[in-house]
Amino acid sequence: MSGVWFFKNNGVIRLVENPAADSSGGSGGGSRRKVLVHLPSGQVVSSYSSLEQILNELGWERYYGGDPDLFQFHKQSSIDLISLPRDFSKFNSVYMYDIVIKNPNIFHVRDM
């Protein structure tokens, strides 16, 4: 059994196996959609074209030598490589956090 045990003052105990789903009203299954926010402008990144423009301004360049199923960006001053799925609908929080880590204080991941 895994989850969170809740204890009440009257001695009643209950186990909630997925507390995130319970607190969201049960409608979303506990998973919230994440968005990547460009902090200086406050704008949500809604397409690869807008993301590419921001990354270019930060010194990132498109890298064409890798997997053709990925959009990739590299910085000449770094060994870092950002790899993103070509289909923006598959752009999820894993890729967002990769961008945040490689660009501190520029991006933030938030719940929608």
Side-chain angles (χ1 to χ4, degrees):
M1 278 193 272
S2 66
V4 177
W5 286 96
F6 287 92
F7 298 88
K8 296 185 179 180
N9 289 340
N10 62 4
V12 175
I13 303 170
R14 72 182 178 110
L15 173 66
V16 177
E17 292 189 18
N18 188 354
D22 204 40
S23 66
S24 68
S27 61
S31 64
R32 292 184 176 166
R33 186 165 171 244
K34 304 281 187 188
V35 292
L36 182 67
V37 178
H38 180 239
L39 292 175
S41 68
Q43 297 297 314
V44 172
V45 174
S46 58
S47 68
Y48 280 148
S49 61
S50 65
L51 178 60
E52 184 173 11
Q53 181 180 351
I54 294 167
L55 290 175
N56 285 337
E57 292 170 3
L58 295 170
W60 290 90
E61 301 172 347
R62 280 289 301 273
Y63 177 71
Y64 294 97
D67 188 335
D69 294 331
L70 299 172
F71 279 126
Q72 295 184 310
F73 298 89
H74 74 96
K75 239 182 184 178
Q76 288 188 2
S77 63
S78 168
I79 62 168
D80 289 333
L81 183 69
I82 296 174
S83 297
L84 308 171
R86 192 164 285 281
D87 182 358
F88 189 76
S89 67
K90 295 179 182 173
F91 181 63
N92 61 33
S93 62
V94 172
Y95 301 106
M96 294 177 195
Y97 283 115
D98 184 42
I99 293 169
V100 168
I101 298 239
K102 293 173 181 170
N103 297 280
N105 303 318
I106 302 294
F107 292 99
H108 184 74
V109 177
R110 295 188 181 146
D111 291 327
M112 186 163 179

